[in-house]
Amino acid sequence: MNRTPPIPAATGVRPEAPPGTGIRATRRSGTGPVPVPVPAAVRFRAACPDCRGRFELAAAALRLAIGATRRTTFYTFTCPECGASVRKPAGERIIELLTGGGVRTLRLHTAL
C-alpha cells in the first residue's frame, strides 16, 4: 500500500528549510497565525508605465494597500529609473505574491 507522509500541519512542525537560510523549524502552539520567514533576497519584477523601464525591486520598495473594492486595492512603488510614483491594481494573485514576499501592507477601512 502506498502511504503518503503526514502534512506539516498534522505533525506540528514546519518542513525543513534549505541549509544556510537561517530558517529553523518550530513547534506550533495551535493558536494564532504562524509567521513565515521571508529571505532578504526576494525581488519583484516591475515596469514603469511612464518611462517603460523594466527592473526588479526589493520588498521594501513596494507598498500594498488592500481596500474594500478592486479600485481601492493596489500596490505602489517609485520607478528607480525616472522617479515617477507608480500605482497599479492588485488582484488576488498579486496580493498573495506580495504579502508572501514580505511587502508592507496597509488595510484600508471605510468610514462608518
Side-chain angles (χ1 to χ4, degrees):
M1 179 166 27
N2 189 2
R3 300 182 104 197
T4 58
I7 59 173
T11 62
V13 177
R14 292 190 318 217
E16 280 289 317
T21 60
I23 301 171
R24 299 176 307 193
T26 58
R27 304 254 346 136
R28 288 189 65 178
S29 65
T31 61
V34 176
V36 178
V38 178
V42 172
R43 311 279 296 171
F44 296 94
R45 291 184 189 162
C48 176
D50 290 350
C51 71
R52 300 195 187 274
R54 294 186 172 275
F55 38 82
E56 290 186 355
L57 297 170
L62 295 152
R63 295 292 176 266
L64 173 64
I66 301 176
T69 66
R70 285 185 183 179
R71 193 169 173 199
T72 58
T73 300
F74 56 90
Y75 64 99
T76 62
F77 60 90
T78 300
C79 175
E81 294 183 13
C82 71
S85 180
V86 179
R87 175 178 165 161
K88 293 190 173 189
E92 287 183 28
R93 180 69 180 138
I94 297 294
I95 293 169
E96 287 177 27
L97 291 170
L98 294 178
T99 56
V103 172
R104 286 180 46 186
T105 303
L106 172 67
R107 296 201 180 269
L108 305 175
H109 297 282
T110 56
L112 295 176

